[in-house]
Amino acid sequence: MKRIAFFTAALLLLHSFLFGCTDASGDEIPQDTLRSRLLADAEAVVVTESSVIFTDAVGETREIAKNPASVVSLYASFTTLWYEAGGSVVGCIGGNTARTLYLEHIGRDITADAGMTVAANSAASKKWDVEKIISLRPSLILCSTAMDGYAVIEAPAAAAGIPVIAVDYDNFQDYLKWFKVFCHLNGSPELWDSVAVPVLDEVAEQIAALPSDNPPRVFSVFADYNSLQANTSRTVVGEMISLMNAVNIADSPQTAGAERVPINLESVYAADPDIIVVQCHSDAASAKRIVEETYRNNAVWQSLRAVKEDRVYYLDKSLFHNKPNSRFGEAYRILADILYPA
């Protein structure tokens, strides 16, 4: 357990040096420097008069022409960001989860829009009718590498002469990068200054204001429909925790490269987290039920200091499981209040 604690502390120091508001000596980093670090991926995006050049989710340099005439998006979260960045689509993912996202972020269920085609009812590529998607003849397809989406659609789209953007969006830096790509592709560069920059300023200001000494130790749990896992810093919530100078106890050499890992309660007990946050795949009530059913009779869980002191927090799905997009500032503010209560 001492080895785990040592490596966790080392990983926190490295992460703080790369992304946080302290440097390797523990001194606070100026807000402008932090802002520059958050912007690094967005700054690598090159905008020309007619195109946008960037690195996609599979590591390829892509050059996409501005103002595509028609777009199909095969991942609902990316669709909401595309709309936020001034675009629209002719084909999208349907299903209850996607429609809820559209209502929350776009303000309406776009599957009911005139001329809209529901390209598939799930982002899971095994449920796609690829011929139907290609038959829409879009100028551009947006998709994720998750659930083999890009692997399934890339070759058929290439054969039809349709460019595909593989998008990876796991943290705030990714939001800034893809917002810059999307708003320039949509011919709406002004949205960078009116939407993205204010969010960047808000997040940087919040992080820079956090204390750098005595960081809280945090256990981040992901509650799926019927199971629990630990979030490392490669997840949205885990990365936010680390960026805010807290120790994510799931980070260790053994979990390097993983997003989520099985929970070992003995290791959790040894790490002695100050706070437990639960990322809810569904609603908070469902997540709480899963946690209680799983650990109601577990003596180790019941003996955790965070549990005994009632410091278990269930995070709003719309901000901490779905992509918050322009609401990242709100998400960071809520998490800051949990990690650093007044």
Side-chain angles (χ1 to χ4, degrees):
M1 294 304 174
K2 290 182 179 178
R3 180 180 296 179
I4 292 175
F6 170 80
F7 279 114
T8 298
L11 285 170
L12 171 68
L13 187 62
L14 175 62
H15 196 283
S16 294
F17 178 69
L18 292 173
F19 300 111
C21 59
T22 59
D23 61 17
S25 66
D27 295 330
E28 291 188 2
I29 291 176
Q31 185 175 330
D32 286 347
T33 303
L34 173 62
R35 191 175 183 277
S36 295
R37 292 181 179 180
L38 293 171
L39 268 175
D41 290 343
E43 292 291 346
V45 175
V46 177
V47 180
T48 71
E49 183 176 347
S50 60
S51 65
V52 182
I53 304 168
F54 55 91
T55 302
D56 67 9
V58 294
E60 296 290 335
T61 299
R62 302 300 308 274
E63 182 171 1
I64 304 295
K66 291 180 179 178
N67 302 307
S70 59
V71 177
V72 169
S73 177
L74 300 174
Y75 206 77
S77 294
F78 303 159
T79 306
T80 63
L81 182 58
W82 183 259
Y83 272 73
E84 185 177 286
S88 61
V89 301
V90 298
C92 66
I93 295 296
N96 292 334
T97 299
R99 286 195 291 270
T100 298
L101 278 177
Y102 303 148
L103 287 169
E104 289 178 353
H105 289 272
I106 301 173
R108 67 182 188 278
D109 174 9
I110 62 170
T111 64
D113 284 1
M116 180 66 71
T117 297
V118 175
N121 281 312
S122 170
S125 60
K126 64 182 179 181
K127 298 182 179 180
W128 293 354
D129 182 341
V130 173
E131 289 186 4
K132 175 182 178 181
I133 295 169
I134 298 301
S135 71
L136 296 174
R137 305 298 301 176
S139 307
L140 179 65
I141 294 175
L142 310 177
C143 75
S144 172
T145 55
M147 296 175 282
D148 294 322
Y150 180 75
V152 167
I153 201 67
E154 193 275 335
I162 303 169
V164 179
I165 301 179
V167 183
D168 51 348
Y169 175 178
D170 296 320
N171 53 44
F172 182 58
Q173 295 93 309
D174 289 339
Y175 164 73
L176 294 173
K177 168 189 173 179
W178 290 112
F179 190 91
K180 183 176 180 179
V181 171
F182 288 178
C183 73
H184 283 88
L185 283 178
N186 286 318
S188 301
E190 72 281 357
L191 292 177
W192 176 256
D193 291 323
S194 64
V195 177
V197 171
V199 179
L200 168 63
D201 291 341
E202 181 181 3
V203 170
E205 181 179 359
Q206 289 185 53
I207 295 174
L210 296 174
S212 58
D213 56 341
N214 299 316
R217 301 179 64 79
V218 185
F219 178 36
S220 176
V221 178
F222 175 66
D224 205 339
Y225 292 112
N226 54 15
S227 64
L228 303 172
Q229 292 178 290
N231 282 323
T232 73
S233 289
R234 290 179 61 86
T235 62
V236 173
V237 175
E239 196 269 351
M240 290 175 72
I241 289 168
S242 296
L243 192 59
M244 298 174 79
N245 289 339
V247 177
N248 184 342
I249 68 166
D251 290 340
S252 74
Q254 291 74 26
T255 64
E259 293 186 356
R260 296 188 174 99
V261 295
I263 295 172
N264 183 315
L265 279 186
E266 284 73 20
S267 296
V268 174
Y269 180 81
D272 189 28
D274 301 294
I275 295 164
I276 298 172
V277 295
V278 181
Q279 178 189 7
C280 309
H281 187 278
S282 184
D283 57 272
S286 298
K288 187 173 183 179
R289 175 185 55 78
I290 294 167
V291 170
E292 290 179 347
E293 288 179 354
T294 302
Y295 295 131
R296 181 180 292 115
N297 299 317
N298 189 297
V300 177
W301 175 266
Q302 298 300 332
S303 66
L304 292 175
R305 183 164 53 88
V307 174
K308 292 192 294 184
E309 296 177 1
D310 196 26
R311 284 182 287 169
V312 180
Y313 301 90
Y314 293 83
L315 304 177
D316 181 359
K317 174 185 177 181
S318 65
L319 290 174
F320 295 96
H321 180 63
N322 301 337
K323 312 300 186 188
N325 294 346
S326 60
R327 297 177 67 192
F328 256 111
E330 181 182 352
Y332 270 96
R333 184 170 62 253
I334 290 171
L335 193 55
D337 288 342
I338 291 173
L339 302 182
Y340 301 94

